[in-house]
């Protein structure tokens, strides 16, 4: 296993992915890739500064710490929602994609199976699957909701960098196996408009599509075969070198 390295951790997860049929899932995955790639391009994240793992309904990105986090947060708050809106406005309500997004940071290592391991990564995934974040997306009109870890909030958000307003985030407590942990969700609690198409699409209840927890909680404490293929088939390690360069 490689030595752990510190990275910015960015996670995207599609709401109610498991309730869709195979054709819809394949379409949503293509849209998700486009949203993630465009988001990182807008945030000036070079291809050599990111590593992706594909989890079906989710994408995980490890981003080099040389990439400014304030610019990444600003992009997630502005460009990503606009991009999703432009895509969803052309689709039927039932086909729209809504995303939970988590921005965190920490140490991650790669094991002998090319999988990603680390308690900081586990923590980010637990935020992604947490009830407060799920509820926040369900209760809102917006197509996505952003959650940042306590470390990202205290280190970046609370200082109010250009384009980021700390007062727009609210504190939540997330229960984990290791005990309660603090995170920060963008937007006010319960900020949806009752009866709006977006709120109906994300609502729970007898009229909502059936969705089992097993459909979305696909993460364990460790991660098996993780993708390292990125834009044209190159594979790189945490130093930014391609596989051919390491040989």
């Amino acid at each position: 296993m490689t030595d752990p390295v510190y990275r910015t951790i960015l996670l995207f997860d599609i709401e109610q992915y498991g309730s869709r049929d195979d054709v819809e899932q394949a379409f949503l995955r293509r849209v998700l890739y486009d949203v993630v790639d465009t988001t990182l391009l807008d945030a000036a994240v070079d291809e050599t500064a990111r590593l992706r793992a594909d989890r079906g309904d989710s994408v995980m990105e490890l981003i080099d710490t040389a990439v400014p986090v304030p610019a990444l947060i600003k992009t997630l708050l502005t460009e990503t929602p606009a991009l999703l809106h432009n895509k969803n406005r052309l689709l039927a309500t039932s086909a729209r994609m809504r995303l939970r997004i988590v921005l965190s940071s920490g140490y991650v290592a790669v094991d002998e199976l090319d999988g990603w391991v680390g308690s900081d990564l586990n923590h980010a995934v637990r935020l992604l699957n947490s009830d407060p974040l799920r509820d926040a997306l369900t209760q809102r009109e917006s197509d996505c909701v952003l959650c940042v870890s306590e470390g990202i909030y205290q280190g970046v958000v609370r200082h109010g960098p250009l384009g980021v307003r700390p007062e727009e985030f609210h504190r939540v407590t997330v229960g984990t196996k290791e005990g309660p942990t603090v995170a920060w969700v963008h937007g006010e609690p319960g900020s949806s408009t009752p009866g709006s198409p977006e709120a109906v699409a994300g609502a729970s209840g007898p009229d909502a599509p059936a969705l089992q927890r097993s459909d979305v909680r696909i993460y364990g404490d460790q991660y098996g075969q993780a993708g390292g293929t990125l834009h044209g088939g190159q594979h790189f390690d945490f130093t930014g070198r391609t596989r051919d360069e390491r040989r």
Side-chain angles (χ1 to χ4, degrees):
M1 185 169 68
T2 65
D3 291 332
V5 293
Y6 199 84
R7 289 292 181 265
T8 300
I9 303 169
L10 179 59
L11 311 178
F12 295 80
D13 188 276
I14 302 173
E15 182 187 55
Q16 295 189 343
Y17 178 86
S19 65
R20 317 296 180 95
D21 63 33
D22 291 351
V23 174
E24 292 170 331
Q25 289 184 5
F27 172 76
L28 289 175
R29 280 173 47 78
R30 291 195 297 271
V31 175
L32 176 62
Y33 263 60
D34 186 42
V35 168
V36 174
D37 289 340
T38 303
T39 293
L40 295 180
L41 180 64
D42 289 344
V45 180
D46 189 84
E47 292 182 359
T48 61
R50 48 184 286 216
L51 181 65
R52 169 177 293 169
D54 187 319
R55 294 302 176 204
D57 64 344
S58 306
V59 164
M60 303 194 301
E61 295 274 352
L62 297 183
I63 301 172
D64 192 277
T65 53
V67 174
V69 173
L72 187 56
I73 297 174
K74 182 180 178 181
T75 302
L76 291 169
L77 292 176
T78 56
E79 300 304 324
T80 305
L83 179 62
L84 267 174
H85 174 74
N86 286 338
K87 291 182 177 296
N88 283 335
R89 65 193 293 266
L90 303 177
L91 303 174
T93 300
S94 60
R96 293 174 183 170
M97 185 176 75
R98 306 180 77 222
L99 295 175
R100 299 191 311 279
I101 305 171
V102 166
L103 185 66
S104 186
S105 60
Y107 286 93
V108 183
V110 177
D111 66 16
E112 61 277 4
L113 298 177
D114 221 15
W116 301 358
V117 295
S119 58
D120 291 328
L121 181 61
N122 295 340
H123 177 264
V125 171
R126 290 184 180 123
L127 295 183
L128 187 71
N129 288 328
S130 68
D131 289 336
L133 190 56
R134 292 176 185 276
D135 293 343
L137 184 58
T138 298
Q139 295 165 3
R140 297 183 187 181
E141 297 181 12
S142 56
D143 295 319
C144 61
V145 61
L146 173 65
C147 172
V148 301
S149 66
E150 172 76 346
I152 293 290
Y153 181 86
Q154 296 298 339
V156 179
V157 174
R158 76 178 181 90
H159 301 287
L162 183 63
V164 179
R165 298 181 177 179
E167 66 272 15
E168 294 181 351
F169 288 77
H170 68 274
R171 186 180 187 270
V172 298
T173 300
V174 177
T176 70
K177 296 177 182 178
E178 294 78 24
T181 187
V182 171
W184 296 79
V185 176
H186 183 258
E188 292 298 322
S191 57
S192 65
T193 301
S196 67
E198 294 85 354
V200 171
S204 60
D207 297 326
L211 181 64
Q212 303 297 323
R213 282 186 178 271
S214 59
D215 290 329
V216 290
R217 294 178 183 267
I218 62 173
Y219 298 95
D221 287 341
Q222 302 296 330
Y223 305 88
Q225 193 71 20
T229 301
L230 173 66
H231 305 299
Q234 280 198 328
H235 187 288
F236 64 97
D237 62 14
F238 289 124
T239 66
R241 296 175 300 168
T242 66
R243 178 171 293 169
D244 289 338
E245 290 171 342
R246 297 198 307 270
R247 286 174 177 170

